[in-house]
Amino acid sequence: MMRLRQVSLVAPIACLTACQEWQSALHPRGPEARQLADLFWIFTAVTGVVWLLTMLVLLAALLRRRAPPRDPLATDPVTERRMTAIVSTAVGLTGLTVLVLTGLSYASQRDLYSGKGEGLTIRVNGHQFWWEVTYEDAEPYKTFTTANEIHIPVGEPVTVKLNASDVIHSFWVPSLFGKQDLIPGRENAIRFTAEREGTYRGQCAEFCGWQHAHMGLLVVARPKEAFERWREQQIRPADPPADPERQKGLQVFLSKPCVMCHSVRGTPAGGRVAPDLTHVGSRQTLAAAMLPMSRGNLAAWIVDPQSIKPGVNMPLTKLEPDEIDPLVSYLEGLK
């Protein structure tokens, strides 16, 4: 048990470094993210110039030496007119700057939410503390559910419908799009396009509870042909285990409380309150992008999830020593 826990402690760092693209809004890989990055740099440049001018005026005032007036109440009409003009000009320029930045922000927001070309439609439901991902299709048999990992085709628009089952979450993959809240009882939507193949890390950006910081996800952008192959594989139910160890693992899975929460298509397991495990072995991570997928991490997560992610809703499951390896083998083989 101790060895399994030690493996999981270093796993979050390994998970971050494994991503092909870093989690950064300043490295856009799509038109929506690039528009937001451009807006950020415009705001930064304008406010930087304003700050620099303010500091220069302040420095000039500090360095300028003036003789004290003989009469503190005396006024000089010429000086008064000059100061009034300066202050009025500064106020006018400030108001103009605010109006221009507000207009740019409004135009960007209107363009981002214009809903041009829906393409692929995905429904994401936020839970404490994981992401339920459902791929919708006009043909019901092509609809399937996965968790914590979104695959999309490169160069095609994607619409993500956002819901929450418990508290407010926020869906954010910085390299691809801006933040959008998931609110219980309300459906929001966000649209984006990935222009470059890669794996992009996302994060819940709204404090949602104890494990908010460990509620991550991956967006995997791949060529259209590779995406279609992945989708066809995900649509299929789980293949029945062929070897004795995995067959025993299936029986363990179906005889334990796992079956009450999780679903595996092609088996009697039909739980709806925890991630769908039909193809869990094909995912890159565990525990909402907290752990890289590996046999050791999978075993550690099954045996004692609370030691890895305290507060997670997955309870401790009593397993006999000879049941752990078959169960891990079964889940690892769900590709």
Side-chain angles (χ1 to χ4, degrees), residues 116-121 156-159:
K116 297 176 293 185
E118 289 195 354
L120 179 68
T121 300
E156 293 193 10
V158 178
T159 298

Side-chain angles (χ1 to χ4, degrees), residues 2 6 16 21 25 36-37 53 58 66 76 83 87 107 135 159 161 172 182 201 204 286 293 296-297 311:
M2 182 56 68
Q6 289 173 346
L16 285 176
E21 300 287 346
L36 292 173
L53 292 175
L58 177 60
R66 299 180 61 183
D76 180 4
M83 296 304 296
V87 171
Y135 285 75
T159 298
K161 300 177 181 178
W172 188 33
L182 297 80
R201 193 181 191 280
C204 177
L286 287 167
M293 176 64 73
N297 285 335

Side-chain angles (χ1 to χ4, degrees), residues 78-117:
V78 176
T79 302
E80 290 295 318
R81 286 195 296 270
R82 184 171 65 248
M83 296 304 296
T84 299
I86 292 174
V87 171
S88 299
T89 302
V91 171
L93 289 175
T94 300
L96 180 62
T97 301
V98 171
L99 286 176
V100 170
L101 293 180
T102 301
L104 287 173
S105 179
Y106 171 76
S108 296
Q109 184 175 7
R110 184 179 62 178
D111 188 51
L112 289 173
Y113 294 99
S114 61
K116 297 176 293 185

